[in-house]
Amino acid sequence: MKIDGVFAGGGVKAFSFIGALDAVEKKGYDFERTAGTSAGALMAALIQAGYKSEELKSIFMPLTGDDVLDETWFTERFPWLSWISVYWRLGLYKGDKLEKWIHHLLADKNIYTFRDLPKGSLKIIASDLTAGRLLILPDDLPKYGVDPDRFPVALAVKMSCTLPYIFQPVKWRTVNKKYNLIVDGGILSNFPLWLFRDAETGMCRRPVIGFQLSPALQDSPPPKIKNAVKLYQSLFDTMRRAHDLRYVSKNEAKNIVFIPVEKIKSTQFDLNVEQKEELIKMGHHETELFLKSSFGIGKARH
């Protein structure tokens, strides 16, 4: 059975997706198309490259923050003044190491540019701060005068994963010789479940399963706003989730696997083996329960 999959952003919480993929594989389903934001974009790209859950587990279990995080010259020598780097460089880490790591993973499967994938099989969300718009890769590339067939998939994933203040924005030089600042797609759409809906008919070609790294809507506790910092966090969370939550609520979340990852922070790059195993087991458990439920896998219900 062919299905489409949409993966939400969530940083290191995305270890849960490995378990979710394992449950989907054991049920006998194959992903025809995948989409995602941030860490979800990485998962979507690796699935399209042909990676299976066991391969991903062997790759991600020994992974450490040092494998993908590259500090700037300043923060390496003066770590106690890292906030200055954020102020001037707009992020703690350059992101080059992350892009190279993604590139090698994809290259091992002979995936380099979007030309190496079936057309329309992968969609990645990023945010263009310069143009003030949501960026769908590779769909929107022609608007920038860029040939999608020549655009690196690893760069697209990096763009989507560039979490503000953690990674420096991607300075993307387009054909007009100007630089556009690109950051994490989760700023505008952290869970793009809407991507595979046909613009004219409002329907989906095949069943779509969304994988969300949060409790179900009715189980999400309201934020406790007691100070200015909490207020800022709530404003930011509301802004980034408003579009997606409206879409999810309209569809009554029937086709979404909610993985209630609450104890782990998105930027907790120092996860130990036990924590990674727990996340993978949680993703497998919640997906297995979902697939055993009343999900109408035999038909599209959008």
Side-chain angles (χ1 to χ4, degrees):
M1 174 67 69
K2 297 290 186 179
I3 60 175
D4 293 335
V6 178
F7 299 85
V12 299
K13 297 179 182 181
F15 270 91
S16 302
F17 292 151
I18 299 175
L21 178 60
D22 182 58
V24 169
E25 290 170 351
K26 289 180 177 177
K27 194 70 175 180
Y29 302 134
D30 290 320
F31 286 108
E32 181 77 5
R33 299 181 297 176
T34 54
T37 298
S38 196
L42 173 60
M43 187 66 183
L46 293 178
I47 290 174
Q48 285 302 324
Y51 280 98
K52 301 299 181 182
S53 58
E54 282 301 316
E55 288 180 278
L56 294 180
K57 186 174 181 180
S58 66
I59 292 169
F60 280 83
M61 288 303 290
L63 187 69
T64 67
D66 290 337
D67 294 324
V68 294
L69 302 177
D70 46 359
E71 298 186 7
T72 63
W73 177 92
F74 188 86
T75 56
E76 284 181 335
R77 288 158 179 77
F78 308 101
W80 58 91
L81 294 176
S82 57
W83 61 271
I84 296 179
S85 177
V86 173
Y87 183 83
W88 290 108
R89 298 289 184 177
L90 308 180
L92 287 172
Y93 306 103
K94 292 180 288 185
D96 295 342
K97 208 171 185 179
L98 173 64
E99 184 180 356
K100 289 179 181 178
W101 178 75
I102 298 170
H103 169 81
H104 288 308
L105 285 180
L106 295 174
D108 285 344
K109 299 290 187 177
N110 295 316
I111 303 298
Y112 299 94
T113 69
F114 281 97
R115 176 175 51 193
D116 300 319
L117 296 170
K119 188 174 181 179
S121 64
L122 175 64
K123 296 181 185 292
I124 290 172
I125 295 292
S127 302
D128 184 345
L129 297 184
T130 303
R133 55 167 294 174
L134 182 145
L135 178 61
I136 304 174
L137 300 165
D139 299 25
D140 291 338
L141 289 173
K143 299 177 182 178
Y144 293 82
V146 177
D147 182 1
D149 285 344
R150 297 186 177 185
F151 196 82
V153 178
L155 177 56
V157 175
K158 175 193 174 181
M159 286 177 167
S160 186
C161 291
T162 307
L163 187 66
Y165 305 120
I166 302 298
F167 291 103
Q168 296 174 9
V170 175
K171 292 184 178 180
W172 179 33
R173 190 175 186 179
T174 55
V175 291
N176 59 11
K177 306 301 182 182
K178 295 182 179 179
Y179 285 99
N180 287 49
L181 289 183
I182 312 297
V183 298
D184 194 300
I187 301 300
L188 297 177
S189 183
N190 197 52
F191 186 42
L193 193 62
W194 46 270
L195 267 176
F196 292 135
R197 178 185 285 263
D198 185 270
E200 296 183 0
T201 65
M203 302 294 289
C204 297
R205 296 183 193 173
R206 61 187 62 82
V208 179
I209 301 181
F211 298 87
Q212 174 65 285
L213 296 169
S214 70
L217 298 179
Q218 66 273 15
D219 298 329
S220 299
K224 296 180 180 180
I225 305 173
K226 296 183 178 180
N227 53 53
V229 174
K230 290 293 184 181
L231 175 62
Y232 173 79
Q233 291 176 342
S234 296
L235 286 172
F236 183 76
D237 288 342
T238 299
M239 176 184 68
R240 67 197 291 265
R241 296 172 60 202
H243 176 274
D244 296 332
L245 284 178
R246 181 179 180 183
Y247 181 84
V248 169
S249 61
K250 285 176 63 177
N251 288 274
E252 300 177 327
K254 293 178 181 178
N255 296 344
I256 300 173
V257 180
F258 289 98
I259 306 174
V261 184
E262 299 173 313
K263 298 179 181 179
I264 302 296
K265 295 181 180 179
S266 299
T267 55
Q268 194 171 331
F269 298 111
D270 59 347
L271 293 178
N272 58 42
V273 173
E274 290 74 20
Q275 289 171 315
K276 293 177 182 179
E277 287 282 5
E278 183 180 353
L279 287 171
I280 293 173
K281 288 179 181 178
M282 185 181 297
H284 185 280
H285 174 72
E286 295 298 329
T287 304
E288 189 176 47
L289 289 178
F290 173 84
L291 294 175
K292 289 180 179 178
S293 70
S294 58
F295 174 67
I297 201 68
K299 59 180 180 179
R301 292 171 46 165
H302 292 272

